[in-house]
Amino acid sequence: MIKALFIDLSGVLYTGSKAISGAADALDKARQSGLHLRFVTNTSRLTRRQILTDLKALGFVLPAAELFTAPAAAHAWLRQKQLRPFCLIHQNIQSEFSDLIQSEPNAVIIGDAEQDFCYDKLNRAFQLCQQGAPLLGIGCNRYFKLDEQLLMDAGPFIKAIEYAASTRAVILGKPSADFFMQVLASTDLQADQVLMIGDDIYGDVEGAVQAGLQGCLVHTGKYQPGDEYKISLAHINADSFVEAVDYAVSQRGS
């Protein structure tokens, strides 16, 4: 029984600057079927407003309340703890954290910082964590796909600081169970009534299944042949988002 869909964005609804064929119509079908929809992304190069604007340009219109991003979850965590972050993040989302005091940092947050992943800044993050500052990760993905290339994501850099400083990061975003539970709380449903659809076998599918959700791996985006065999947890495979929605609608609970 499926009553809700958690939907990854890049690689599922679109790749690069193009919508995946049939994805917009499939999304309409899912909404009209009565399924609850939530959009969950670790994207850390765009603000929420930019994400919504770009989706609209691609033909995907969704209420802001349905969008859950890892940067927003990280910001909320830092505000709740009243911490001053050292932000090693992409320049495009610096504004998302500009309201937080960042002088004399006592926390470290790492996202996809692109060219800012230089020795000096990584070493600063290491020094702060070694001194006891908590390490916060905007997701922990290994890589992502952009312009038909696989590029390193923030995960490997987070792991490097964990190793060097003998610490453990708090991950806000996929595959964190806490992140999935935060999104689940907005639906008033049980975890096993939700199907997470994504192109990342680890961040999307494995993370969701470990959190008690159902998982569906779509063979688009950064999917690589054989990814479906990299985890032993039961999950669904679909050629695309269109096929995943058809499956979900056929399994929809009343």
Side-chain angles (χ1 to χ4, degrees):
M1 181 183 297
I2 297 173
K3 293 188 176 183
L5 300 181
F6 287 3
I7 304 165
D8 184 30
L9 299 178
S10 178
V12 176
L13 297 183
Y14 62 88
T15 55
S17 59
K18 295 183 179 180
I20 288 176
S21 179
D25 288 340
L27 187 58
D28 288 341
K29 178 178 180 178
R31 195 177 294 281
Q32 291 169 9
S33 75
L35 288 164
H36 297 268
L37 303 180
R38 297 293 183 268
F39 301 84
V40 292
T41 178
N42 283 357
T43 298
S44 55
R45 292 191 173 196
L46 300 172
T47 64
R48 283 173 53 83
R49 179 176 294 182
Q50 289 172 320
I51 291 171
L52 291 169
T53 298
D54 289 352
L55 285 171
K56 185 176 181 180
L58 291 172
F60 305 104
V61 180
L62 55 132
E66 291 181 352
L67 177 63
F68 289 76
T69 71
H75 178 280
W77 191 91
L78 288 164
R79 177 177 286 279
Q80 181 184 34
K81 303 289 184 180
Q82 298 184 327
L83 293 171
R84 304 181 301 275
F86 170 69
C87 295
L88 188 47
I89 58 179
H90 199 279
Q91 60 182 359
N92 288 353
I93 65 166
Q94 292 284 351
S95 62
E96 298 279 85
F97 297 86
S98 61
D99 62 320
L100 301 176
I101 297 172
Q102 298 182 33
S103 59
E104 300 182 5
N106 57 2
V108 173
I109 178 170
I110 297 181
D112 169 22
E114 199 177 25
Q115 299 304 319
D116 276 344
F117 279 134
C118 61
Y119 181 81
D120 287 346
K121 292 185 178 181
L122 285 166
N123 196 52
R124 176 62 170 148
F126 155 69
Q127 291 172 338
L128 287 168
C129 290
Q130 191 183 47
Q131 294 164 12
L135 175 61
L136 191 64
I138 299 179
C140 199
N141 297 84
R142 304 178 185 203
Y143 53 84
F144 63 98
K145 190 173 185 178
L146 181 65
D147 297 330
E148 301 305 315
Q149 296 185 75
L150 294 179
L151 305 176
M152 286 181 67
D153 210 330
F157 298 97
I158 293 169
K159 292 298 183 182
I161 301 301
E162 282 186 323
Y163 178 74
S166 298
T167 189
R168 188 178 183 89
V170 176
I171 304 300
L172 274 300
K174 300 173 292 184
S176 167
D178 289 338
F179 182 65
F180 283 115
M181 290 302 101
Q182 179 188 45
V183 183
L184 182 66
S186 73
T187 68
D188 198 30
L189 296 173
Q190 299 299 312
D192 61 1
Q193 297 174 317
V194 177
L195 179 68
M196 172 69 213
I197 303 174
D199 65 332
D200 187 326
I201 188 63
Y202 298 113
D204 294 326
V205 179
E206 183 179 48
V209 175
Q210 288 180 337
L213 286 67
Q214 300 181 55
C216 177
L217 178 67
V218 291
H219 297 185
T220 54
K222 66 180 177 182
Y223 165 82
Q224 299 289 293
D227 278 355
E228 60 267 44
Y229 304 113
K230 291 180 179 178
I231 64 172
S232 59
L233 299 172
H235 63 278
I236 304 301
N237 284 276
D239 285 340
S240 70
F241 180 65
V242 175
E243 184 176 304
V245 167
D246 286 343
Y247 170 77
V249 171
S250 73
Q251 301 295 311
R252 185 175 65 84
S254 58

